[in-house]
Structures are given as structure tokens and as C-alpha cells.
Amino acid sequence: MNQPSAPPDGGDLLVALLCHLGIDTVFGIVSVHNLPLVAAVDRELRFVPVRHEATAVSAADAYGRARGGIGCALTSTGTGAGNAAGSLVEALSAGAPVLHITGQIDSAHLGRGRGFIHETKDQLGMLRAVSSYAATVPDAARAAGVLCEAATAALTAPAGPASVEWPIDLQYAAQDPAVLDALTAGPGTVRPPHPAPAPDDGELDAAARLLARARRPLVWAGGGAAVCRTELTALLERTGAGLLTSNSGRGVIPEDDPRVIGNFATTPAGRALLADADVLLSVGTHFRSNETADYSLELPAAHIQIDLDADALGRSYPARHRLHGHAPHVLAALLGRLPEQTAADENWAARLHAVRTEVRDRLRVSIGPQAALCDALRAALPREAVIARDVTIASSSWGNRLLEIFDPRDNVFPRGGGIGQGLGMGIGAALARPQAPTVVMAGDGGLAVHLGELLTLAQTRPRLTLVVLNDGGYGVLRNMQDRYFDRRSGVDLTTPDFALLARACGLPYARIAAEEEAGPVLADAVAADGPTLVEVDLGALGPMKTPFTPPVKLPAPTTAP
Ligand SMILES: Cc1ncc(C[n+]2csc(CCOP(=O)(O)OP(=O)(O)O)c2C)c(N)n1
Ligand SMILES: [Mg+2]
């Protein structure tokens, strides 16, 4: 629409902001209520037309995670914005910065309930509920201010999605070229995130004294530790501590480092280790229910907690010393207070190593033939590959633990546990990181939620291997029903012929039906310079030793009165 000679419009403003934020790819679905935005992005940057608005947000979210930054999604008004809500919930749960721009009806008709096309009752209220920030562009002159405030909010801890609804007449309205120039010129317009809080000196001193005396110390790293590899490595060295992680904290220190126990805290050996530890330092973690067996896991009473979010301190577990601040700064401050030599027991390192080995060996045995998949995947992938996972048994059992991750930006998964987001996240990550291959692990059920995104995959053709673990249904719920209920309900699904489906989409296809096929099939798929759909026939591959059920509590069976 906009001619080079015409004054800049909202689309040009958005492009200037995206350049300022370092975003070169945007995901969305075009509509009468976002046409000028899509047109400008497509002209100046890259617009990826996904097939559902939830995917627009999932892909933008993972684009940001895979680059360690922010992503952008464009949706339409009403149903389009509503479709995005589920994935905004995920970005909110993960603290993942996403700039979500959605259309809104003409400002003259806003809030009048006349049934204007795509009108919805309280779109802003809906967006507020699922985003960390939501606002409406009130007029053309204030559009830049609202957009910059949204981007700042998305990036400021606790980070998350920021949604802006932009009435369509105001998207078309002329923008002041000076505002665009200021944005393009660089820093200063989008305010830097608020200065990080500094923890109390007395608390730092006390925490350092506790760590210096610790004989059997452990560290628990969460997603908030993602940017402190250097400080954390030094702290492990100085204190002789072992490293447990949440699922989000994986890769902070590469998982082939012998000090990393990893995402295994709730295993019997992990629990015993925690019981023996005399000090725990936790860094930027939620202690989510799945990682603490619904908060039944026992932690040492001598618990030092670091978090940038003041509300997180002491929220799930009591903390003796609460250090409110940005993890790298706080860890550096602790290191500055620690003596060169601390007090770790001489046999603590051997104990940590024994636990590291035991938890992996036990898991490997329990997953039976799927261990071959795990090994083949890691062998096929270069160190810097992205590993995206939907919520499927293979992820929940071994993908989230045994399959080694070497950097937090490679670790893409829905932290809120919603199925269906894996492929969209994988596409976003793969387009963010074209230099290396991406793999997506998805179940047949999770994939079916957004089966249409196979077409986005076929159209964008990133270096992405989609591994579909096909067991003909919602396996994890089926396992629960078989174990705890007297019948199955809603778990057996019709699945497509994946070979035919891949062919219909123009995607290369391969199948794994036996352990020995995993290595060659995955090596070929990962080496390809485009997408491949790899179906794992779980029926043919054979069962796990024990059917996997998730770590959720069910009420004890009651007898009839
Ligand atoms: C959005 C959403 N809806 C429902 C669920 C409940 N749920 C969790 S796992 C699962 C089954 C997933 O099936 P599939 O992807 O085939 O993986 P499998 O369990 O068979 O390995 C379901 C329905 C969920 N987590 N998220
Ligand atoms: Mg399944």
C-alpha cells in the first residue's frame, strides 16, 4: 500500500522498531486488520505466514529463545487474537519475551458493540489476562510510545509476552519520519530494562559464609541462570558443588560436564543426594511442580536463593538467604566473598559423579528401545543444534533429561506443558538459527493439534528434522487410564498415513521401526539442508520397560460407603 514517496505509516513504524530490536523475521496471519503491518514487514524484513495464530506466537517465542532475545507475532482482531491466547500463556509461563501485535477495529467503532467485523467484547481484557503487558494504541502520535513501552515490558524481568492492539485506521495513519529515524538510529528510544536490583550486603556476606563452610554443597539452576555460565562454572569450581537443574536450566553448563547431575532431582538418587547436601544455592528457578514432585521434594534448610523476581524468593520453598538480583551479578558478588579454598568433603566429588551416572543408567534401562533413539539423535546432531520438544512421552521421559543439551538457547520446550506447540516452536527456532540443524520431537497427538503447520514447514523449508513419535493416540493419558481407571476415554486417535501426508505436503519422509534404523535415518535427516518428517513407529519399536506416567497426584481410591 505504502509508496516510497508516501509518508511512513504504522507498518514503517513497526519495521523501524523491529530493526531496533534486532528482529528480522516475523510470524503471523494476514488480515484486513493488520494489512499495513504485514505489507511493511514482508517488504523490508521476512514475514512467515503460519497456519494458526497460536503458532505465530509459539514461533516468535522460540525465535527469541533460540537467539537469546525477543520475537514478534502479528495476528488479527477477535478470533485471531483469541487463537493466540494459548501460546501467550506459554510465553507468560516461561518468561519469554514476545512482542504480539494484533489488529483492532476502526477506532471510531471501538467499544460500541455494533458487530463490526472481528469486533470482540473486551479484547484488551483477554490480552491482559494472558500477557505480562497489554495496551491499545490510542492515536497515531502515541503509537511509537506504546510499542516501545510494550517491547520494554516484554524484555524486563520477569520477562514475557507484551500485546498491543492497534486499531486499523491508526495503522494506516501517517507517522512522523523523525520518530522512525530516532528508532532506526539505535539505542535510547526503547528504554533499557529497569536497573537490576542489588541484594543486601549483609545477606550476601551471610550467604557467602554459609557457602564457604559447606561440606556437601549443591547448586540448582533454573532458566534465570541461562546467562551465567562463567560465574556458575567458577562457583562450582570454588565450592566443589554439584549441579542440579530444572528443565529450563539445562545447558547452563554443558550437560557432558561431569559436575552436572541435571534435571534428575526427583529420582531416588537425586532425593538422597539432596537429603545429604548441607547447603543448596538455587539460581533463577521456579521449583515447578513437575520438578519437585508437586513440592514434596525435600530441600536442605540451608537454602540460599537468587532471583531477579522478588516474588519468586521463598515462594515455593523457604529460603534462609534471599538474594534479590540479576544472577550473574549476584554470583560474582558471592565469588568475590569466597576464599580460594572452601570446605567441600574430599569424597563429595566422587559422590556427585556416582549419582550422575546412576540416574542416567537407570533412566536408560527404563526407556528400553527408545534409548537407541536418544543416542542416535545426539550422535546425529552437532553440538550447537536446537532441540525443540512437544509434550510427548519421549520428551517427558528422556528428551527432558538424558538427551544432552549444551546451551540454554538450544533447549526449546513448552514450560507450561501445553501440547501442540512443538512444531511451531521448532520452525521459529530453526529460522532464528539457520546455521545449524533443529530437531523437533512431537507425539502424533501433539502434532495433530496444529497439523496445518506441516505446510508452514514445507513452505519455509528450514533445516528441521521433525521426529513424530507415533503411538496412535494420547499415550501418556492412555497409560494413566490403563493404570488407574477401569476404561479408556478419549485417548485412542486416528492418525494419518504419515508417508502419504508428507508426500502431499512435499516433505521428505523416513520411518524408524527398529532400534538399528535410528542411527542411519536420523543421520541422513539431520544432514539434509531442508526439512524431513521422520516417523517413529512406536508399536514396531517396542514398549518401554515400564509404561510412562507423569508425576501428578491422583486421589487415593475410596471404597463405596
Ligand atoms: C493444550 C493441552 N491440551 C491437553 C493436554 C493434556 N495432554 C498432555 S500430554 C497429552 C497427550 C499427547 O499425545 P502425544 O502427542 O501423541 O504424545 P504421547 O503421550 O502419545 O507420547 C495430552 C492430551 C495438554 N498438556 N495440553
Ligand atoms: Mg501419541
Side-chain angles (χ1 to χ4, degrees), residues 392 443-446 469-476 478 493 538:
T392 177
D444 55 308
L469 298 126
N470 185 5
D471 62 0
Y474 297 136
V476 69
R478 184 159 59 200
L493 302 177
L538 289 171

Side-chain angles (χ1 to χ4, degrees), residues 217-472:
L218 287 176
V219 175
W220 180 310
V227 289
C228 24
R229 176 174 294 177
T230 310
E231 296 80 2
L232 207 51
T233 306
L235 191 116
L236 295 187
E237 244 150 52
R238 194 83 68 84
T239 60
L243 184 69
L244 290 165
T245 68
S246 67
N247 202 2
S248 310
R250 300 183 59 203
V252 171
I253 306 241
E255 288 187 326
D256 54 351
D257 185 307
R259 290 166 297 196
V260 178
I261 293 155
N263 182 21
F264 284 95
T266 53
T267 57
R271 285 173 185 265
L273 189 72
L274 277 162
D276 286 350
D278 58 355
V279 175
L280 176 71
L281 170 67
S282 70
V283 187
T285 189
H286 273 76
F287 294 116
R288 291 174 197 260
S289 62
N290 267 8
E291 287 147 0
T292 57
D294 288 354
Y295 315 103
S296 70
L297 191 69
E298 292 193 18
L299 302 188
H303 173 206
I304 303 162
Q305 186 174 12
I306 300 175
D307 212 291
L308 190 48
D309 177 6
D311 290 342
L313 295 165
R315 179 165 53 195
S316 299
Y317 281 90
R320 186 176 292 174
H321 299 295
R322 299 168 172 219
L323 304 177
H324 181 205
H326 193 34
H329 302 162
V330 182
L331 287 171
L334 282 174
L335 279 164
R337 287 165 164 80
L338 286 176
E340 279 310 313
Q341 203 65 56
T342 55
D345 279 353
E346 58 189 32
N347 48 8
W348 187 235
R351 174 79 199 283
L352 296 171
H353 197 259
V355 173
R356 170 183 162 84
T357 311
E358 180 185 339
V359 292
R360 282 168 174 71
D361 290 351
R362 277 180 184 268
L363 179 52
R364 176 173 289 282
V365 169
S366 78
I367 61 177
Q370 292 197 28
L373 291 177
C374 181
D375 293 343
L377 255 184
R378 193 60 270 180
L381 292 169
R383 264 188 103 80
E384 65 279 10
V386 173
I387 302 180
R389 307 172 308 277
D390 207 300
V391 183
T392 177
I393 288 172
S395 305
S396 306
S397 54
W398 54 268
N400 291 346
R401 293 179 181 77
L402 196 60
L403 180 61
E404 283 175 341
I405 296 226
F406 304 128
D407 190 280
R409 283 167 302 179
D410 305 343
N411 183 24
V412 172
F413 74 101
R415 299 183 198 184
I419 63 169
Q421 302 172 89
L423 176 55
M425 294 181 105
I427 291 171
L431 295 179
R433 300 258 298 269
Q435 330 71 290
T438 289
V439 68
V440 172
M441 293 168 58
D444 55 308
L447 186 72
V449 175
H450 288 302
L451 204 58
E453 302 308 343
L454 285 178
L455 297 169
T456 309
L457 182 65
Q459 188 166 352
T460 50
R461 307 204 84 74
R463 289 172 71 185
L464 188 153
T465 300
L466 170 60
V467 181
V468 184
L469 298 126
N470 185 5
D471 62 0

